[in-house]
Amino acid sequence: MTAAEVTRSGFIAVAGRPNAGKSTLVNRIVGQHVAIVSPIAQTTRRVVRAAVQVDDAQLVFVDLPGSQKPVDRLTERMQRSVEHSFDDVDMVLWVIDGAVPLGAGERRVADMVFASGLPVVVVLNKVDMSKPAHTIERITAIDEIIAGREYASLVPVSALTGDGVDTLLKEIAGRLPEGPAWFGDEDVTDMRDEERIAEYVREAMLGRLRDELPHATVVTVDEMAEDDENGQTIAVCTIWVERDSQVGIVVGRQGAGIKEVGILARERIERELGLRLHLELRVKVRRKWRDDESWLARAGL
Ligand code: GDP
Ligand code: MG
């Protein structure tokens, strides 16, 4: 079905703890790698919207940063964007990591999710990592956290393998009100190409960084142009770190690190955006950027 045939639609906030698999789930659902993913918590910093059609319904997923206690201006802004997102949606998907024990963090997310007053669909993710008996145990633990509050349904899924995702989509689609298609057939996401490029560069980099460094880096696109002669897009990006000592770690021995990031990112960008890319990366220091409100705003965070 096309966007012209849509009769029902809705926005669905995807909430949950960092690392629960929210972005993986959204990518799986829309069939494209719109939201970057990594094993590092707080990979998602900005809200990503992505749409899919299920029969006559258009589902617009709002992938959110993980819900957490803020530790600096950056995480404070991220947490605020999570809470504000509930103002403009029709439903909340609460994604729970089925592979780790449920704790106080999950309780805090539950309180936030139910305080929204929106219909809540609970998603128990990563079922590929545990035995069925374990999944049942998990559901009992979730019931305790929910503590009698009402939710629309609970669906076990694996965002990784796709198990249970069709059931989840039908469950959501069946609850959406009448409405128009907000996204055209070609528009899976509302992110601009520049934003996507910055994100893909960060994703390529996150995999090779450790400790505090992933959180201390941010990527900006400084220049983008079309080279008409050879049909390439040229993008110049800066990877920002917080300290001089971090530059060398990102660049790597004889530039090997940054080169690898460039290759990985270029492959991803070319595949996802359908273009040929000449990518230039540089590394610069911006002290304490995570606590600099105006700088965060300019970087789109
Ligand atoms: P987010 O922070 O909630 O957006 O989580 P991500 O989507 O970035 O995923 C965090 C990590 O969990 C990544 O390493 C994913 O590959 C992994 N992951 C996500 N979903 C699944 C799943 O269903 N099964 C398994 N085994 N791993 C998953
Ligand atoms: Mg994410």
Side-chain angles (χ1 to χ4, degrees), residues 18-24 37-39 44 125-126 128-129 158-160:
N19 239 27
K22 299 177 291 298
S23 298
T24 308
V37 169
S38 97
T44 306
N125 190 30
K126 308 196 187 181
D128 57 286
M129 290 182 77
S158 166
L160 203 65

Side-chain angles (χ1 to χ4, degrees), residues 27-281:
N27 289 343
R28 160 69 59 182
I29 288 171
V30 302
Q32 278 189 33
H33 195 86
V34 289
I36 65 165
V37 169
S38 97
I40 291 158
Q42 295 169 31
T43 297
T44 306
R45 284 178 177 160
R46 52 178 100 210
V47 175
V48 175
R49 289 181 194 79
V52 72
Q53 241 161 268
V54 179
D55 302 327
D56 66 330
Q58 186 176 75
L59 285 55
V60 182
F61 289 90
V62 184
D63 182 25
L64 300 174
S67 196
Q68 61 190 333
K69 262 203 197 128
V71 294
D72 51 27
R73 289 295 160 117
L74 171 63
T75 41
E76 213 174 274
R77 290 169 72 96
M78 281 157 61
Q79 188 58 25
R80 226 181 299 145
S81 79
V82 172
E83 282 158 21
H84 281 308
S85 295
F86 291 159
D87 300 342
D88 326 308
V89 298
D90 303 281
M91 193 185 294
V92 182
L93 272 198
W94 170 24
V95 182
I96 299 174
D97 187 338
V100 299
L102 308 180
E106 208 63 72
R107 229 169 278 272
R108 229 180 17 249
V109 178
D111 291 343
M112 181 188 77
V113 160
F114 286 107
S116 72
L118 295 161
V120 177
V121 172
V122 186
V123 179
L124 177 60
N125 190 30
K126 308 196 187 181
V127 294
D128 57 286
M129 290 182 77
S130 51
K131 298 201 177 76
H134 187 242
T135 301
I136 293 165
E137 240 170 68
R138 269 298 134 81
I139 293 174
T140 314
I142 292 170
D143 271 340
E144 254 163 53
I145 286 181
I146 287 172
R149 291 171 287 195
E150 287 216 5
Y151 60 93
S153 66
L154 190 153
V155 189
V157 308
S158 166
L160 203 65
T161 66
D163 258 3
V165 170
D166 282 342
T167 311
L168 175 64
L169 289 180
K170 291 227 153 59
E171 189 61 51
I172 297 167
R175 293 173 190 277
L176 293 185
E178 264 183 47
W182 300 105
F183 282 59
D185 290 319
E186 300 298 314
D187 309 323
V188 170
T189 173
D190 64 352
M191 269 209 288
R192 289 178 298 119
D193 282 357
E194 267 117 293
E195 294 174 290
R196 295 184 72 181
I197 288 173
E199 285 290 84
Y200 292 135
V201 170
R202 200 160 65 86
E203 183 180 51
M205 188 177 52
L206 285 180
R208 6 177 352 273
L209 302 180
R210 248 174 286 165
D211 304 326
E212 184 53 12
L213 201 46
H215 306 297
T217 52
V218 60
V219 179
T220 56
V221 177
D222 310 312
E223 243 182 86
M224 231 175 110
E226 304 295 326
D227 183 342
D228 292 330
E229 259 171 40
N230 55 17
Q232 273 190 333
T233 300
I234 301 165
V236 183
C237 300
T238 301
I239 297 170
W240 299 89
V241 294
E242 286 188 322
R243 287 197 300 272
D244 296 330
S245 59
Q246 296 169 332
V247 174
I249 305 174
V250 172
V251 171
R253 190 173 293 175
Q254 289 170 343
I258 193 102
K259 192 172 166 202
E260 191 189 311
V261 169
I263 292 169
L264 267 176
R266 181 166 53 79
E267 280 172 4
R268 174 70 91 188
I269 294 163
E270 290 190 335
R271 192 166 53 232
E272 296 298 328
L273 301 185
L275 44 80
R276 289 213 306 125
L277 186 74
H278 173 82
L279 179 63
E280 253 178 72
L281 300 178

